[in-house]
Amino acid sequence: MILRALMLLSLTLGLAAAPARAQGVAVGITTTAQPFVITDPSGKLDGFNVELARLLCARMGRTCSLEPTTFPQLLSRIEEGTFQMGFGNTLKTPEREKKMLFSAPIWRSTSSFVTTATRPTIDPTRARSLLRTCVVRKSMQEAFLAAQPGPDDNIVAIATYRELFDGLTGGACDAALLPTVNVLDFLSRETGRGYDYSGPPVDDPRLSGSVHIIVSKGRPDLLTALDAAINAIKLDGSYRILMARHFPFDIN
Amino acid sequence: MQTTPSDRLPSLRRRLAAIGIALAVAVLAVLGAMLVSGSTTHRVVEDSRIHTVPRILERQRATANLERLIRFGWITATATSAHDWRQASVTAQALAYHPSLSFDDEIRHQVTTVHAVIRQVASKRERALALRNAAPGGINAEARDQDREARELWMPQETILVSLQGKLADDGVRLMVERFDRVAEIADLTRQLAIGAAVLILLILASAALIVWRNLLLPVLQVAQTMRGTLDGSGPERSLPSPATAEMAVMQSAAVQLREALHRAALREAALKASEQRLGSIFATSEAAIVLSDAQSQVMQANDAFLRLIDHDRALELSLDQLTHTDDAAREAPLLRAMLKGETDRYRLDKRLRRQDGSWVWVDASVRAIRDGDAPPHQFVTVAIDISERMRAERELHFIRALVDQSADPVYCLDPLDGGRMAWANAATCRHFGASPERILTMRIPDWDPNFDTEVVKKLWQSPEPLSTRVFETTHRVAGGDIIPVEVSATWLEHDGKPYVAGYIRDIRDRNRMLMAVRRSNEDLQQFAYVASHDLQEPLRMVASFLQLLERRYGDRLDAAGHEYIQFAVDGAVRMKQLIEDLLAYSRIDSRGLQPQPVDLAVIAQAACDNLVSAIAENGGRVTLSDDLPLVMGDQPQLIRLLQNLIGNALKYRAPARFPEISVSAQRHGDSWIIAVSDNGIGIAPQYHDRIFMIFQRLHGIAAYEGTGIGLAICKRIVERHGGEIWVESQENVGSTFKFTLHAADVVANE
């Protein structure tokens, strides 16, 4: 009788411990432009963000399941908690801080207009009124443009960068407003020939600053572990190596 | 309120509190300084981590990105592949506006300028590319010019960017140096602060240690050493130093009190031990019998004296009740009951204890109860002293007192210091004076003796004569008022340091009457003897004269026998005459003697020798007179006769083989002189030493030594008339010494 009770207790404890061991981290990662995310034809994810996610999960000792998503979906699911961690090159804003947690900065970003090389330099304050501009939905670029005067139709909100560049080259929009670094790959490819940055990056604090990994609001423990992992890879040089493999200069 | 010396001393608690406060202040100061230092260090570190390090890293990244910008510019200017220089140009744009190169306005401006040049270079390369694409064979001089211009346009920019790199490197170095200088400054300050704090704490700790050592540890050690010495009893009594604090004063005072208490306890213990030893010794060696008994009078312990007293070997099986005489037990019972009731703690009783042989021994028993608190006594200590001798003496005293009391003669005792008051008198004395025993003890000499008044009585005791006895006659006023003659003896005694005069009183009325009768009878006899001797001499002289006449006239008619008979008759008459003269002299000693007066014995002896000069010469004798012959009281003629008789006897009874050697000497003996006349004659056998002084006693026949046998009797009578004694010390064939006593003239003169 006692032996049976002990076995039952062991089984109960084993069952209780099993979810803890199997508990992984659901990581949302936006299929943004190269070199952040590269999706091969088989659907396998690769790129700077993917490697960074794997590197940090390894450092945290967590089992992470990476799931490609769009930026709007990433924000929504992080807010919902279905993603515990999100890689979407997210800038920190007060509104977002109410809904999610932000890791230590991982690199710094600016936003630039991209348009045909022959087009005169775009005045950011008049861009909405003059041009149809593609932006990623729910991004700061969309928020910036929304704050500018002009018809709503001139704000072309698109879910992914791939669709954004397609829209730019396909004529869906006259220009695009997006992170400066995200444009490099597009400009270096054949499809981006004839396109160029339109002047220097937009000088607006909402569009430049530190890029963070976002964490579900209910997982501050994960945030702590994540910050420690970021600090660790910065100190041991692995982050610099990772960055050098994907970018032509130090974006940090 | 009264203050003690310790109240005037500083408090150790206050000193320690002051030290503690000082130490706490110092520690707090040190902690504060360390906190400030740490805070500053932390601030510097934080500032370094938050600002300096990021700024240095920023410059490092900027330097690296400038390097990349140089490369992108150079690629833009020189790369042959359009794809390469286009991508380099685009990347240069992204890089030029990247925040890593925007932290400094000058750098931003320079980089922006360089980027503008890169854009121009890219434009020239685009134009050159367009020209080549338009030219046949791709060769176009203008295109080369454009490329060359592009390169020339770019080359100065490298210098600008390198210069910016140098500036960033210098800034980085400057930041690092500034930061390290600040860190070094803080480190120095911290080190100095630590040294100062350490010195301050060491000073305070040293002061605290010194104060604790001087005010606490050292006094405590000294007190401990003193107490150790006191406890061991080995160390000398150390005088404690003056206390520095009130607490030490209290401790030292307590130590001194403890030491004194221990000393007193040790003294008490030693005294108790000594007392126990003394008591044990006294118990063991005491001549007094000591017995410890229980409530049933069973003997528990007894000393040797008790065993000797009752002649037992062991005492434990004895009971004091069984040892006590029943008569004495009856007297002791009420005393014991009173003690058992707690009314008394001790009693004393003379009682008898039975010895082993059944005899009884009187003891003076002192019994003391031993009790616990108010409980009945559970033990008794009896100290018994053998008083058998005392009891015997008391019985004898009682007997003697009874004898004295029952004596027919009055016996008295006077207090000379109280005017001759009667101090004790027997019943006969009371009857003698007709006074009650109480009354007689108030009477003084003048009350009964009319010959003594108060002044005379005072003079009587001015020259006490211890143990001397005087017997004198006086008169007493006796019962009935008659005054009668009495003989009184008075002996000077001393008892308990007080002088007494005691003696007897004897009614001498009958004796006086008898003496008067005897005296008259003696006088009659002396008169008779004198007359008889005197009257006998005349007829005797006639007998001798006529016999001698008869011999002269008729001698021729007498034959030899007749002559011999006449000679016998004459000799008899002569001896008869000598005998009568001696008897006459013997009888005249008392009747015709002179009153004694101081006389020089040397003169007397010389006179005696002068009278015997022919005899001395005939015998060839020699008489030696001592040079210190004294003055004595006496009748000179009689004393001359006395010495003449003795010296004459010495000549008469000389030893045939030697010449007489006679000496006369004197030796003081008390109030008298002993006069000795020694010779070397034939001596006298001891059995005759008394007989020779009797009248008419002769040791030899008349034929051997002539004489009447009265000489020594006359000597004896003369000496006795002078109140002395005469005796002989002699050894046959050796010699004789006749000794007699005479009163010294100086004593009698003083009286």
Side-chain angles (χ1 to χ4, degrees):
Chain A
M1 187 66 184
I2 294 175
L3 182 60
R4 185 177 298 173
L6 288 175
M7 292 177 64
L8 183 59
L9 178 61
S10 301
L11 182 60
T12 304
L13 293 174
L15 290 176
R21 288 197 299 271
Q23 186 182 23
V25 179
V27 179
I29 186 164
T30 58
T31 53
T32 182
Q34 292 185 7
F36 292 103
V37 176
I38 302 170
T39 306
D40 64 7
S42 64
K44 181 180 178 183
L45 295 175
D46 199 356
F48 176 76
N49 280 354
V50 176
E51 288 191 36
L52 178 61
R54 289 171 179 160
L55 178 62
L56 291 175
C57 286
R59 288 301 174 93
M60 288 191 293
R62 305 295 177 100
T63 302
C64 297
S65 57
L66 274 57
E67 183 179 340
T69 183
T70 63
F71 188 72
Q73 281 291 325
L74 176 70
L75 296 181
S76 299
R77 294 190 60 178
I78 284 292
E79 188 176 347
E80 293 169 359
T82 52
F83 283 147
Q84 286 83 47
M85 191 160 63
F87 289 77
N89 301 340
T90 312
L91 294 172
K92 185 188 293 183
T93 67
E95 292 75 16
R96 288 176 180 170
E97 281 187 307
K98 296 176 182 175
K99 302 174 183 175
M100 58 197 72
L101 302 175
F102 288 83
S103 72
I106 51 175
W107 55 277
R108 286 176 291 181
S109 173
T110 59
S111 293
S112 298
F113 282 99
V114 177
T115 185
T116 56
T118 57
R119 187 183 298 275
T121 302
I122 299 172
D123 179 2
T125 59
R126 300 179 62 193
R128 181 179 173 185
S129 60
L130 298 177
L131 299 172
R132 292 177 293 125
T133 304
C134 291
V135 291
V136 173
R137 188 179 301 128
K138 289 190 177 183
S139 67
M140 290 307 299
Q141 290 77 14
E142 183 187 17
F144 172 78
L145 283 181
Q148 306 305 320
D152 294 337
D153 294 340
N154 282 351
I155 300 175
V156 182
I158 298 172
T160 66
Y161 286 102
R162 181 183 300 278
E163 291 173 354
L164 184 146
F165 289 127
D166 290 344
L168 180 62
T169 56
C173 50
D174 304 317
L177 180 60
L178 68 170
T180 304
V181 178
N182 290 19
V183 188
L184 286 175
D185 181 69
F186 168 71
L187 294 179
S188 65
R189 284 188 276 121
E190 191 61 30
T191 54
R193 179 175 298 179
Y195 291 89
D196 198 355
Y197 292 110
S198 179
V202 180
D203 186 13
D204 189 284
R206 290 172 292 184
L207 298 178
S208 60
S210 300
V211 172
H212 302 265
I213 302 168
I214 55 178
V215 177
S216 173
K217 192 81 171 178
R219 296 298 301 273
D221 59 320
L222 186 60
L223 177 66
T224 303
L226 179 62
D227 285 344
I230 291 171
N231 190 45
I233 62 174
K234 283 184 177 180
L235 290 177
D236 65 9
S238 54
Y239 183 58
R240 186 181 300 276
I241 295 170
L242 173 64
M243 195 159 48
R245 283 198 288 111
H246 292 279
F247 297 100
F249 58 89
D250 191 343
I251 63 173
N252 191 11
Chain B
M1 180 179 292
Q2 187 176 3
T3 60
T4 61
S6 60
D7 295 336
R8 294 191 292 271
L9 292 172
S11 169
L12 177 62
R13 188 186 309 165
R14 291 180 183 172
R15 287 188 175 182
L16 293 177
I19 292 172
I21 291 172
L23 190 59
V25 169
V27 170
L28 287 175
V30 170
L31 289 176
M34 291 176 65
L35 190 61
V36 171
S37 173
S39 175
T40 304
T41 304
H42 177 75
R43 192 163 58 248
V44 170
V45 170
E46 281 297 300
D47 184 65
S48 300
R49 187 175 67 82
I50 296 172
H51 297 100
T52 306
V53 172
R55 288 169 70 183
I56 292 173
L57 293 175
E58 189 80 18
R59 279 155 180 76
Q60 288 178 349
R61 282 195 294 269
T63 301
N65 283 339
L66 285 175
E67 180 66 29
R68 291 187 181 92
L69 187 59
I70 291 172
R71 187 164 65 245
F72 294 150
W74 184 83
I75 292 170
T76 302
T78 62
T80 55
S81 169
H83 177 267
D84 290 343
W85 56 260
R86 280 178 182 153
Q87 186 170 1
S89 173
V90 170
T91 304
Q93 162 124 6
L95 176 57
Y97 294 100
H98 189 266
S100 63
L101 295 177
S102 300
F103 62 91
D104 183 273
D105 290 340
E106 181 184 359
I107 293 175
R108 183 174 184 175
H109 174 71
Q110 294 283 0
V111 168
T112 304
T113 303
V114 169
H115 172 253
V117 173
I118 290 175
R119 297 290 293 186
Q120 292 175 14
V121 170
S123 294
K124 288 185 178 295
R125 296 299 305 270
E126 285 288 350
R127 184 176 301 168
L129 180 62
L131 290 173
R132 283 192 183 91
N133 290 334
I139 302 173
N140 185 283
E142 188 179 1
R144 284 198 300 272
D145 291 340
Q146 289 294 322
D147 286 337
R148 179 179 51 80
E149 290 176 357
R151 286 195 296 274
E152 292 174 351
L153 189 61
W154 166 250
M155 289 307 172
Q157 308 309 315
E158 288 188 359
T159 304
I160 293 172
L161 293 176
V162 169
S163 175
L164 285 177
Q165 283 183 316
K167 178 179 179 299
L168 288 173
D170 292 343
D171 280 353
V173 171
R174 179 180 56 78
L175 287 172
M176 290 180 67
V177 169
E178 285 179 355
R179 191 52 48 184
F180 282 129
D181 286 347
R182 179 64 178 152
V183 171
E185 182 181 339
I186 292 173
D188 289 342
L189 184 63
T190 303
R191 185 174 67 252
Q192 292 172 3
L193 192 64
I195 293 172
V199 170
L200 179 63
I201 291 176
L202 284 176
L203 287 176
I204 294 174
L205 289 177
S207 301
L210 183 62
I211 290 174
V212 169
W213 170 253
R214 292 184 58 184
N215 295 336
L216 184 61
L217 293 181
L218 187 60
V220 167
L221 289 175
Q222 289 170 339
V223 169
Q225 189 172 1
T226 300
M227 295 308 300
R228 191 181 300 115
T230 302
L231 292 174
D232 294 344
S234 57
E237 287 196 358
R238 298 165 60 97
S239 60
L240 293 173
S242 298
T245 62
E247 290 81 356
M248 285 314 305
V250 172
M251 284 185 65
Q252 289 189 358
S253 174
V256 169
Q257 291 178 12
L258 179 59
R259 183 175 66 187
E260 291 175 355
L262 289 174
H263 180 64
R264 288 195 297 272
L267 290 179
R268 284 197 296 271
E269 185 179 355
L272 183 61
K273 189 178 292 182
S275 175
E276 288 179 352
Q277 291 176 347
R278 284 197 301 273
L279 287 176
S281 176
I282 290 171
F283 183 80
T285 63
S286 172
E287 286 300 320
I290 303 174
V291 185
L292 180 66
S293 59
D294 60 13
Q296 286 74 40
S297 77
Q298 186 68 35
V299 174
M300 300 171 66
Q301 192 175 4
N303 65 350
D304 293 341
F306 180 75
L307 297 177
R308 288 197 302 271
L309 182 69
I310 61 172
D311 194 22
H312 273 271
D313 296 331
R314 299 179 61 187
L316 293 181
E317 68 272 11
L318 299 177
S319 168
L320 286 180
D321 286 347
Q322 296 172 358
L323 291 174
T324 302
H325 194 280
T326 53
D327 295 344
D328 300 331
R331 290 190 295 118
E332 188 174 13
L335 300 174
L336 188 59
R337 281 196 295 273
M339 185 181 287
L340 292 172
K341 290 178 181 176
E343 297 172 356
T344 60
D345 277 336
R346 65 180 70 187
Y347 65 82
R348 187 169 178 177
L349 180 72
D350 292 345
K351 66 178 185 179
R352 284 159 288 183
L353 294 178
R354 183 167 51 79
R355 295 167 61 87
Q356 191 172 27
D357 59 2
S359 62
W360 296 93
V361 56
W362 275 98
V363 295
D364 174 3
S366 295
V367 182
R368 184 181 181 92
I370 300 175
R371 65 177 85 230
D372 292 332
D374 297 331
H378 61 280
Q379 289 179 351
F380 300 91
V381 176
T382 302
V383 178
I385 300 173
D386 185 352
I387 57 172
S388 300
E389 290 299 323
R390 193 190 84 189
M391 296 299 287
R392 189 175 300 113
E394 286 181 357
R395 286 197 298 271
E396 290 179 357
L397 182 62
H398 289 155
F399 176 69
I400 291 170
R401 186 161 186 167
L403 288 178
V404 174
D405 281 341
Q406 300 303 321
S407 170
D409 288 333
V411 178
Y412 70 95
C413 180
L414 300 178
D415 184 356
L417 301 181
D418 193 9
R421 184 183 58 79
M422 189 69 77
W424 180 84
N426 66 351
T429 303
C430 294
R431 289 194 300 272
H432 176 69
F433 291 114
S436 65
E438 294 78 16
R439 167 78 179 87
I440 202 168
L441 295 181
T442 64
M443 295 172 63
R444 289 173 173 80
I445 293 175
D447 294 334
W448 64 75
D449 193 333
N451 300 306
F452 294 91
D453 57 16
T454 305
E455 294 303 319
V456 175
V457 169
K458 286 183 179 177
K459 293 177 182 177
L460 280 176
W461 322 119
Q462 288 177 352
S463 300
E465 298 174 351
L467 298 177
S468 65
T469 301
R470 297 279 181 174
V471 179
F472 58 93
E473 295 180 3
T474 183
T475 56
H476 279 177
R477 184 179 294 108
V478 296
D482 294 336
I483 295 177
I484 63 169
V486 292
E487 180 186 86
V488 177
S489 75
T491 301
W492 192 279
L493 302 174
E494 187 172 305
H495 178 64
D496 279 350
K498 286 185 63 179
Y500 291 96
V501 175
Y504 63 86
I505 301 168
R506 187 169 295 158
D507 185 350
I508 59 172
R509 283 177 292 182
D510 292 341
R511 193 186 74 180
N512 282 354
R513 282 191 290 271
M514 292 174 63
L515 284 176
M516 288 297 291
V518 170
R519 187 172 295 121
R520 281 194 299 272
S521 174
N522 282 344
E523 288 175 354
D524 292 343
L525 284 174
Q526 284 182 356
Q527 188 63 29
F528 170 76
Y530 176 77
V531 171
S533 301
H534 187 273
D535 290 348
L536 282 174
Q537 279 190 331
E538 186 54 30
L540 191 56
R541 218 172 14 248
M542 287 178 67
V543 170
S545 297
F546 281 100
L547 281 174
Q548 288 171 345
L549 184 60
L550 183 62
E551 186 178 23
R552 275 195 308 269
R553 286 190 180 181
Y554 305 101
D556 53 353
R557 283 177 277 180
L558 295 176
D559 57 7
H563 284 288
E564 188 177 11
Y565 294 156
I566 290 173
Q567 189 59 42
F568 285 160
V570 171
D571 289 342
V574 171
R575 285 203 310 274
M576 185 66 180
K577 180 176 180 294
Q578 185 63 43
L579 185 59
I580 290 171
E581 287 178 351
D582 287 344
L583 280 173
L584 191 59
Y586 184 81
S587 66
R588 284 176 178 171
I589 289 174
D590 288 331
S591 60
R592 299 294 178 87
L594 301 176
Q595 188 67 25
Q597 59 185 354
V599 294
D600 189 346
L601 194 59
V603 174
I604 291 170
Q606 190 59 52
C609 290
D610 291 346
N611 293 339
L612 294 170
V613 64
S614 58
I616 294 172
E618 288 174 0
N619 287 283
R622 185 174 60 188
V623 179
T624 303
L625 304 181
S626 177
D627 294 334
D628 52 356
L629 293 176
L631 291 176
V632 296
M633 294 298 295
D635 180 347
Q636 185 163 341
Q638 289 186 355
L639 292 183
I640 292 173
R641 186 180 187 87
L642 170 62
L643 285 179
Q644 189 175 325
N645 282 359
L646 293 175
I647 295 172
N649 275 349
L651 292 171
K652 186 196 296 182
Y653 298 104
R654 57 166 291 188
R658 53 184 179 265
F659 293 110
E661 292 286 343
I662 303 165
S663 65
V664 179
S665 60
Q667 185 179 8
R668 186 66 179 250
H669 182 69
D671 295 342
S672 301
W673 286 95
I674 298 176
I675 316 300
V677 179
S678 301
D679 64 53
N680 58 346
I682 60 173
I684 305 167
Q687 63 269 26
Y688 302 123
H689 286 184
D690 293 333
R691 182 179 170 187
I692 59 176
F693 292 105
M694 299 174 66
I695 193 168
F696 302 133
Q697 293 295 321
R698 291 175 59 87
L699 300 182
H700 307 284
I702 191 67
Y705 298 96
E706 61 179 8
T708 60
I710 299 178
L712 287 178
I714 292 174
C715 291
K716 185 172 186 293
R717 186 146 188 175
I718 290 172
V719 171
E720 288 180 345
R721 179 176 175 265
H722 283 77
E725 295 178 82
I726 186 170
W727 68 95
V728 63
E729 297 172 355
S730 180
Q731 190 174 356
E732 276 188 305
N733 300 320
V734 175
S736 302
T737 299
F738 284 86
K739 292 183 177 179
F740 58 92
T741 61
L742 292 174
H743 291 303
D746 50 357
V747 174
V748 177
N750 289 335
E751 290 177 347

